[in-house]
Amino acid sequence: AQRVTQPEKLLSVFKGAPVELKCNYSYSGSPELFWYVQYSRQRLQLLLRHISRESIKGFTADLNKGETSFHLKKPFAQEEDSAMYYCALRSNDYKLSFGAGTTVTVRA
Amino acid sequence: DTEVTQTPKHLVMGMTNKKSLKCEQHMGHRAMYWYKQKAKKPPELMFVYSYEKLSINESVPSRFSPECPNSSLLNLHLHALQPEDSALYLCASSQDLGSSREQFFGPGTRLTVL
């Protein structure tokens, strides 16, 4: 069975400071990792996926299979980054499992 | 149309009622999903449909009955629910079940069971 762990429930940073959201996973197969984000009063939406190796809204995430991690990083946080962030793992049987989520607050 | 829509937005029902939740997408997606989200918790997968056929049932109690009448519609029929079934029910869709497919989520139906 797969498991996704986000150790930080809450994360508060100042505008312009770096932000890193931790995500660790446990899965015996070849994982597909995602970060989903939910802004206030908006629906859950995809932020990025490991296979794309892209930067979205300044965020990047690298899959580290040795450390079984997929941490989300942004060098300079903006106020509009305040949101709930979920790390998610898709297993080979098509199931998407979410971590508990991290609420990020960016203060001016 | 690039959105997943869900109706109703809110639903209050008694334990003896029968009601249905509706989800619709017109993006040509062939995979659709139901999730349950309790307050301050992440979404939990309930059902997955692929090409209108049920692919995954995550051991959901039979008082929840999904239906996919066509490729654009997904229903969740509710009967004899319990107060602990009160939650936000999210629908999602993706192009298909291929790898790394993005799931597009609806806004959810907030269900209260009295």
Side-chain angles (χ1 to χ4, degrees):
Chain A
Q2 63 264 34
R3 186 181 177 91
V4 180
T5 303
Q6 293 180 250
E8 304 127 335
K9 263 191 168 179
L10 301 168
L11 203 55
S12 181
V13 299
F14 283 107
K15 178 181 169 182
V19 61
E20 181 178 26
L21 287 73
K22 291 188 171 23
C23 173
N24 287 90
Y25 67 89
S26 164
Y27 181 55
S28 55
S30 185
E32 295 177 28
L33 275 297
F34 304 81
W35 278 98
Y36 277 83
V37 62
Q38 188 164 27
Y39 301 102
S40 178
R41 287 187 289 278
Q42 292 188 28
R43 61 187 69 192
L44 195 59
Q45 58 186 285
L46 178 69
L47 180 61
L48 52 78
R49 60 196 120 185
H50 90 266
I51 201 167
S52 304
R53 300 185 64 80
E54 57 200 343
S55 172
I56 303 290
K57 298 185 180 184
F59 284 96
T60 58
D62 289 316
L63 178 61
N64 185 323
K65 291 187 177 180
E67 296 183 0
T68 60
S69 68
F70 188 57
H71 303 325
L72 183 67
K73 301 175 186 179
K74 184 169 182 175
F76 308 103
Q78 303 299 312
E79 289 180 75
E80 55 265 30
D81 297 327
S82 296
M84 170 71 93
Y85 292 81
Y86 290 103
C87 182
L89 181 153
R90 202 185 94 143
S91 54
N92 293 341
D93 57 359
Y94 315 123
K95 298 177 187 177
L96 190 65
S97 301
F98 290 87
T102 299
T103 301
V104 172
T105 302
V106 181
R107 293 177 287 167
Chain B
D1 191 347
T2 57
E3 276 196 346
V4 175
T5 59
Q6 290 187 245
T7 54
K9 281 189 177 179
H10 302 274
L11 179 62
V12 180
M13 60 186 291
M15 289 190 284
T16 57
N17 292 157
K18 280 187 182 181
K19 296 284 184 184
S20 296
L21 310 185
K22 183 179 167 182
C23 172
E24 201 163 359
Q25 56 86 16
H26 295 287
M27 294 179 279
H29 289 174
R30 304 312 299 268
M32 296 185 78
Y33 312 78
W34 279 116
Y35 289 85
K36 175 181 178 179
Q37 186 174 23
K38 300 282 276 185
K40 299 189 188 302
K41 297 288 187 185
E44 291 180 354
L45 183 66
M46 299 175 71
F47 302 104
V48 179
Y49 272 83
S50 176
Y51 288 85
E52 296 103 70
K53 289 192 175 3
L54 183 64
S55 291
I56 296 174
N57 176 341
E58 283 288 85
S59 303
V60 179
S62 59
R63 57 185 185 269
F64 295 90
S65 175
E67 180 197 20
C68 191
N70 60 57
S71 59
S72 301
L73 271 177
L74 184 67
N75 298 319
L76 186 63
H77 303 298
L78 315 172
H79 174 54
L81 293 195
Q82 304 296 309
E84 59 264 29
D85 296 322
S86 298
L88 182 69
Y89 287 84
L90 295 171
C91 174
S93 71
S94 64
Q95 183 178 342
D96 51 39
L97 292 183
S99 67
S100 289
R101 294 286 190 246
E102 175 180 357
Q103 289 190 24
F104 293 79
F105 284 84
T109 293
R110 190 161 298 283
L111 174 68
T112 303
V113 182
L114 301 175

